[in-house]
Amino acid sequence: MTVPASPTRRKRSSLLCFRQQVPHSASLLAALLGAAVFLGGWQLLVELRVVAPVFLPPPLKVAQTFIHMSVDGSMLPNTLVSIRRVWLAFLISALLAVPLGILMSGYRIIGATFEPMIDFIRYLPVPALVPLAIIWFGVGETTKIFLLWLGTFFQLVLMVAADMKRIPNEYFETAYTLGARPRQTLLPVALPAMLPQLMDSMRISLGWCWTYVIIAEIVASDSGLGFVIWTARRFMKTDQVMAGVIMIGLIGLVTDQCLRLLHRKLFRYQ
Amino acid sequence: MEQLSSYLQFHDVTKFFGDVPVVQQPFNLAVPAGQFVVFLGPSGCGKTTLMRMIGGLDTPSSGEILLQGMPVGAPDIRRGMVFQSYSSFPWLTVRKNIEFGMRFRRDLSAAQKKERAEYFLKLVGLTDFAKSYPSRISGGMRQRVAIARTLAADPDVLLMDEPFGALDANLREDLQFELRKIQKNSGKTTIFVTHDVEEAVFLADRIIVFGPRPARVIADVDVISLIGSERNENVRDSERFFHLRTEILHLLRGRDAKKSAAA
């Protein structure tokens, strides 16, 4: 006779089960535990003087500095400056990339015209173009926006074109046989059909904007989070450097979660 | 004379994709108004391509297709199509999907469109699901949405590309019954593509049986003369139905060709 395994035993073993679901509470606990071990190890490393605090400030000190900088006004105004730059450049990129990407995928000849060029440009690393940007636009806002735009626009165009290409042909053909001309399918069929994918593409390119804004601010700026980090480095204030980095991470996390939430709300029909 | 009485006509149509023949022997067919024609044949035999050419979604390499005596061109609202997959728009509710069928009709006022949408919702039994999105309803309901949407556009010809191919057997039979009823009530000339013999026999007034690619007609079966025009579950279980089904199956297998029901 076979003896059924006791429930507790089953439950324990099922936590490490290949490609199986685990309870939500367990995932949450695991995430917290992972973070705690990481932070604890980090704190210990410094406490035991394995690494000098000037190179690696302990997490508690970084947290302290983060709060301090948030309150004393050295962080938040610069954060807002960076956020503004990122969103401005991102919106310009998206407004240009979405129509162009759709046209490139919709009309072969437009795609043939732009695709090789864009494929080339998108592999140019943004930092390599910083000198040119400064020569052209000086060290003002235009340079930063230009660099961010450069880093995202060309990537986004190709992603939009790919999103459009992925729309099943049946949707268009259905619309044609209901009396739509090809051009008339763009707004009522193509756009809604690709929108969920499109939003993901935009979310990803918004993330790149954050990479490029820091580069732009480190190289040529007197404001923004990149500037905060770079200035702190000059005085070996590693805790401030880390506080700045954490701020970027937090903004990324919050933005991403907000956009995901929006995605879920908008595309509940899926 | 025959030219005048036929509503939809294939005249020496061939189709090649590059060098690949899909329809090599010139294809000729005359369909009277209101007839329910099923194109039956194995996968890849070219039956779908022939139907798509009626819709203007593919163009013949030679020959022409006439609708009411006029050559058909680019796709338009006179030839409505229902697909097997991606048949309804997932971002629109059931009602909006049906209303989409009238989006490009200028002859209807907004109020008339609303009223017609209501009518077709009821016709396909989806009034209670008007506000649901396609992902929330069954596959069979989604195909009903597509049929209602196409009917709302009021095409001259209804084209259906294996619309029930992805559904399970019971659901298929229900939908076949409903479709046959709807088609007879609306009087729409219908071309229905399938590889399912039983489905073909149950639905059709007339079956064009194709051999393997490139498309070759092996029989033109007058179903009405063999099993009548009334179709219900009793007919499906009848001797005549079974007999015809078996005969066509044999035809497709290449046996019993002489004893075929070819007209």
Side-chain angles (χ1 to χ4, degrees):
Chain A
M1 210 175 89
T2 52
V3 183
S6 72
T8 45
R9 197 187 150 81
R10 270 184 68 87
K11 198 165 180 181
R12 247 181 55 205
S13 64
S14 71
L15 273 182
L16 196 71
C17 204
F18 189 58
R19 292 175 71 97
Q20 297 299 309
Q21 293 278 344
V22 291
H24 188 68
S25 54
S27 323
L28 195 71
L29 202 68
L32 287 174
L33 211 67
V37 169
F38 173 73
L39 291 173
W42 174 3
Q43 182 85 28
L44 207 68
L45 220 58
V46 189
E47 296 282 347
L48 297 175
R49 290 282 182 267
V50 181
V51 190
V54 69
F55 290 117
L56 187 69
L60 285 175
K61 168 86 171 141
V62 174
Q64 240 172 20
T65 310
F66 182 85
I67 293 165
H68 186 71
M69 287 172 77
S70 302
V71 177
D72 75 1
S74 57
M75 182 99 98
L76 290 187
N78 284 306
T79 306
L80 290 178
V81 166
S82 293
I83 290 178
R84 190 183 152 271
R85 284 172 184 155
V86 164
W87 276 91
L88 189 62
F90 167 72
L91 287 178
I92 295 173
S93 271
L95 280 175
L96 295 170
V98 170
L100 184 61
I102 289 176
L103 289 177
M104 277 175 57
S105 172
Y107 298 94
R108 296 269 163 87
I109 191 70
I110 300 180
T113 310
F114 290 105
E115 214 178 297
M117 199 166 25
I118 291 176
D119 259 331
F120 171 75
I121 298 175
R122 80 187 175 114
Y123 278 109
L124 301 182
V126 168
L129 293 161
V130 170
L132 262 185
I134 292 177
I135 293 169
W136 288 345
F137 303 111
V139 288
E141 282 304 294
T142 322
T143 306
K144 284 132 207 153
I145 303 297
F146 173 72
L147 286 171
L148 299 199
W149 174 81
L150 205 65
T152 50
F153 171 75
F154 298 96
Q155 305 276 357
L156 189 55
V157 169
L158 295 183
M159 293 204 314
V160 173
D163 292 342
M164 167 94 170
K165 203 161 279 174
R166 235 175 275 134
I167 303 174
N169 226 1
E170 282 91 336
Y171 291 156
F172 292 102
E173 293 186 333
T174 298
Y176 299 157
T177 65
L178 294 172
R181 304 206 177 167
R183 210 175 308 165
Q184 288 174 313
T185 60
L186 286 180
L187 284 180
V189 178
L191 198 63
M194 71 190 289
L195 204 56
Q197 284 293 324
L198 190 64
M199 261 198 66
D200 271 334
S201 300
M202 297 214 274
R203 189 167 55 82
I204 292 166
S205 66
L206 185 64
W208 294 332
C209 269
W210 275 102
T211 312
Y212 298 131
V213 80
I214 302 305
I215 294 172
E217 287 173 352
I218 283 177
V219 176
S221 191
D222 51 9
S223 61
L225 278 174
F227 168 76
V228 169
I229 293 169
W230 203 240
T231 313
R233 178 215 63 112
R234 211 187 303 158
F235 302 106
M236 281 297 270
K237 300 242 170 87
T238 29
D239 53 334
Q240 289 191 12
V241 172
M242 286 190 152
V245 171
I246 286 169
M247 184 53 124
I248 297 169
L250 279 178
I251 293 169
L253 189 72
V254 170
T255 316
D256 213 69
Q257 289 301 316
C258 287
L259 289 176
R260 275 171 201 270
L261 189 73
L262 186 67
H263 199 285
R264 275 202 297 276
K265 288 255 180 257
L266 278 177
F267 308 121
R268 245 184 303 200
Y269 60 77
Q270 282 184 322
Chain B
M1 276 318 284
E2 200 210 47
Q3 292 220 342
L4 287 174
S5 67
S6 59
Y7 189 72
L8 175 71
Q9 228 181 341
F10 283 79
H11 190 70
D12 286 340
V13 171
T14 67
K15 178 67 181 176
F16 293 78
F17 284 117
D19 294 336
V20 185
V22 182
V23 185
Q24 196 166 25
Q25 272 181 15
F27 179 74
N28 286 284
L29 182 72
V31 180
Q35 196 168 52
F36 196 134
V37 180
V38 172
F39 286 0
L40 174 69
S43 297
C45 75
K47 57 193 192 295
T48 296
T49 306
L50 280 167
M51 187 186 62
R52 288 173 57 85
M53 289 193 283
I54 303 172
L57 300 170
D58 280 317
T59 46
S61 301
S62 70
E64 57 182 358
I65 296 167
L66 306 174
L67 179 60
Q68 293 177 289
M70 298 284 288
V72 300
D76 61 32
I77 198 165
R78 293 182 306 153
R79 294 154 289 155
M81 183 107 164
V82 176
F83 292 94
Q84 179 186 131
S85 43
Y86 304 109
S87 57
S88 52
F89 298 133
W91 60 90
L92 296 177
T93 61
V94 167
R95 175 182 276 115
K96 296 277 177 200
N97 258 289
I98 295 174
E99 284 176 1
F100 193 97
M102 297 171 281
R103 189 185 171 103
F104 301 99
R105 286 187 63 175
R106 299 245 175 90
D107 56 324
L108 297 174
S109 68
Q112 282 172 312
K113 286 180 181 176
K114 280 250 175 303
E115 202 179 305
R116 266 178 83 81
E118 218 53 53
Y119 169 80
F120 284 106
L121 268 171
K122 205 172 155 196
L123 182 75
V124 295
L126 288 177
T127 310
D128 292 343
F129 296 90
K131 287 180 187 157
S132 304
Y133 285 100
S135 63
R136 299 282 182 272
I137 60 180
S138 72
M141 290 182 185
R142 281 200 285 274
Q143 293 312 86
R144 285 186 213 172
V145 172
I147 292 168
R149 184 184 55 200
T150 308
L151 289 173
D154 197 22
D156 295 337
V157 181
L158 193 56
L159 305 172
M160 310 187 86
D161 186 9
E162 304 206 27
F164 309 146
L167 307 179
D168 61 57
N170 282 332
L171 208 55
R172 273 180 95 130
E173 292 189 0
D174 291 346
L175 279 170
Q176 286 161 8
F177 179 71
E178 285 171 40
L179 175 65
R180 173 82 190 172
K181 212 168 62 184
I182 289 171
Q183 193 270 341
K184 283 299 147 208
N185 288 338
S186 67
K188 296 263 178 243
T189 308
T190 302
I191 310 290
F192 187 105
V193 163
T194 185
H195 60 255
D196 183 317
V197 178
E198 181 166 335
E199 179 166 82
V201 173
F202 187 82
L203 284 172
D205 294 334
R206 176 186 185 186
I207 302 174
I208 310 295
V209 186
F210 291 90
R213 190 170 176 161
R216 184 172 54 88
V217 177
I218 51 180
D220 182 347
V221 185
D222 180 357
V223 183
I224 292 187
S225 74
L226 294 166
I227 66 167
S229 61
E230 177 74 20
R231 305 294 157 81
N232 52 39
E233 289 318 298
N234 295 334
V235 172
R236 208 189 279 277
D237 293 335
S238 73
E239 189 83 21
R240 291 164 301 162
F241 187 92
F242 181 76
H243 185 71
L244 179 57
R245 203 197 68 159
T246 312
E247 227 170 342
I248 293 177
L249 270 173
H250 285 177
L251 262 177
L252 282 168
R253 289 185 200 135
R255 280 191 277 137
D256 258 2
K258 280 174 207 152
K259 276 173 65 188
S260 79

